[in-house]
Amino acid sequence: MAVLTSVDTQNSRKEGGGSLRASLVVTVGAGATAAVVVAALIQAAGDDPVVGAALSVSVPAKYRSLIEDAGSTCPEVTPNLLAALLTQESGFNPKARSQVGAEGIAQFMPSTWETHGIDGNGDGKRDVWDPEDAIPSAAGYLCDIAKDVNDVLGSKQNNMLAAYNAGTGAVRKYGGVPPYKETQNYVRSISALANKPTGSGTTATTAQAATAINAATEMIGTPYSWGGGSSSGPSTGTCCSPKGRSGSNTTGFDCSGLTLYAWAKAGISLPRTAAQQYAASEPVKPGDVRPGDLVFYGSSPTNIHHVGIYIGGGWIIDAPRPGTRVRYDPMDTMPDLYAVARPVPDHNKEI
């Protein structure tokens, strides 16, 4: 999602960056609300870490060859780096549209697409909504940016990613990653994922997360129903919410019914309530939050009362409360954000 939430938003937009967005990274602890982490990025004076050309970041199968091909456009861009960027940008959702107008799987702003969008599949059109155009365009844009900031001191990879997020002008102005919290977290998250060794597969994959996000997105506008929703989709609910609202006459979802349904589409079975879903998931460490993760609200593991699906840029998809519909909400939609966690296929953790 292309959403900036800090006081630096206006400055970042002025720099002429392509896609302006960031991922809120949260610190979670028992009995404490989450807080935004200001990433302390230390720029190495030497060479960047070597990232292998092999694609180890999990991506949907239909985009794998596109990413592998585009990830060799220039030496500064690897398949892993490109896959990590697309994970951060949209969770591989080709229909993603941000609150500030960024579009498609790579979240191009329209003005940047006009300049840097290419006809990747040779069909005579440059379509930001077509991954066959958008993915190679993102790689090409990264390569152009890498040239523009090549003489800036520090990590070339970090500077390139920062420029993709906040604009080359900002990177030049500050001599490296600019002091925008969103941009710092953006760079840190993508770098960590791109340089991370292949995992053990004990938590949900990026491809599964993308499937869950797409499933939830398709339910935008569905009515809230207390107790409603199952792995099969919207359903009538039960009686009654703490304020006496019944879902027995409404077909839709409550918060955990929506997450249960979305992750069922990805092949992972979650329990019914938000507290049970937290127990069935693996807490995410600061700096590792990614689209598809579950965002929980409450005061303790046994008192979690709400859950949503993180989609990037500090936004979630959720079914908020009786009288509303499934929608996008900011991550701080409630004051008691407790934790972010990732579903696991085989859950046995106790509350």
Side-chain angles (χ1 to χ4, degrees):
M1 295 292 288
V3 179
L4 289 177
T5 56
S6 80
V7 293
D8 294 311
T9 302
Q10 185 176 4
N11 292 335
S12 298
R13 287 176 181 167
K14 287 180 179 178
E15 299 297 344
S19 51
L20 303 178
R21 85 286 300 147
S23 171
L24 287 183
V25 183
V26 298
T27 299
V28 296
T33 58
V36 175
V37 172
V38 179
L41 292 174
I42 301 175
Q43 296 199 47
D47 294 335
D48 293 331
V50 176
V51 182
L55 181 57
S56 60
V57 176
S58 180
V59 302
K62 60 184 175 181
Y63 301 136
R64 189 176 184 89
S65 62
L66 278 171
I67 292 170
E68 289 176 335
D69 291 343
S72 59
T73 302
C74 65
E76 293 80 7
V77 178
T78 66
N80 266 354
L81 182 73
L82 183 57
L85 180 138
L86 296 173
T87 299
Q88 184 75 11
E89 292 295 344
S90 68
F92 298 103
N93 179 5
K95 299 179 181 179
R97 185 193 297 271
S98 81
Q99 299 294 316
V100 297
E103 299 173 334
I105 197 169
Q107 289 291 272
F108 275 97
M109 294 296 288
S111 59
T112 307
W113 179 257
E114 284 300 313
T115 305
H116 295 278
I118 65 173
D119 177 14
N121 58 7
D123 66 355
K125 298 182 294 183
R126 297 186 305 132
D127 186 358
V128 72
W129 304 108
D130 186 347
E132 293 184 357
D133 291 344
I135 290 176
S137 293
Y141 183 38
L142 283 169
C143 292
D144 290 343
I145 289 173
K147 294 177 183 178
D148 291 341
V149 299
N150 183 59
D151 59 344
V152 178
L153 294 177
S155 165
K156 293 181 180 180
Q157 175 179 291
N158 288 354
N159 290 340
M160 177 180 68
L161 291 172
Y164 191 93
N165 178 260
T168 57
V171 173
R172 288 193 163 279
K173 176 180 178 180
Y174 292 102
V177 178
Y180 309 148
K181 288 184 283 188
E182 288 85 355
T183 301
Q184 291 179 342
N185 288 335
Y186 178 87
V187 171
R188 184 171 181 237
S189 297
I190 292 177
S191 296
L193 181 58
N195 298 329
K196 188 175 182 179
T198 303
S200 64
T202 57
T203 59
T205 67
T206 303
Q208 287 174 312
T211 298
I213 290 173
N214 288 336
T217 300
E218 291 175 356
M219 293 297 114
I220 293 290
T222 302
Y224 182 99
S225 175
W226 177 264
S230 70
S231 59
S232 299
S235 68
T236 54
T238 60
C239 184
C240 286
S241 75
K243 294 186 177 180
R245 299 288 294 272
S246 174
S248 58
N249 295 319
T250 304
T251 299
F253 293 102
D254 62 10
C255 65
S256 56
L258 176 66
T259 53
L260 183 158
Y261 165 77
W263 274 103
K265 288 293 185 180
I268 292 182
S269 177
L270 292 175
R272 185 59 184 81
T273 70
Q276 291 169 342
Q277 290 180 7
Y278 173 71
S281 303
E282 189 70 26
V284 175
K285 295 180 180 179
D288 198 31
V289 178
R290 73 187 189 199
D293 289 345
L294 297 177
V295 182
F296 295 94
Y297 302 81
S299 59
S300 72
T302 56
N303 289 309
I304 289 172
H305 62 85
H306 188 64
V307 61
I309 300 176
Y310 185 63
I311 58 172
W315 288 77
I316 64 173
I317 296 177
D318 68 333
R321 65 187 65 86
T324 65
R325 295 175 180 270
V326 175
R327 68 191 188 190
Y328 298 110
D329 271 327
M331 197 172 181
D332 60 356
T333 184
M334 297 180 181
D336 57 349
L337 196 161
Y338 179 76
V340 178
R342 191 164 299 149
V344 294
D346 182 18
H347 51 78
N348 54 16
K349 183 173 63 174
E350 297 293 335
I351 296 178

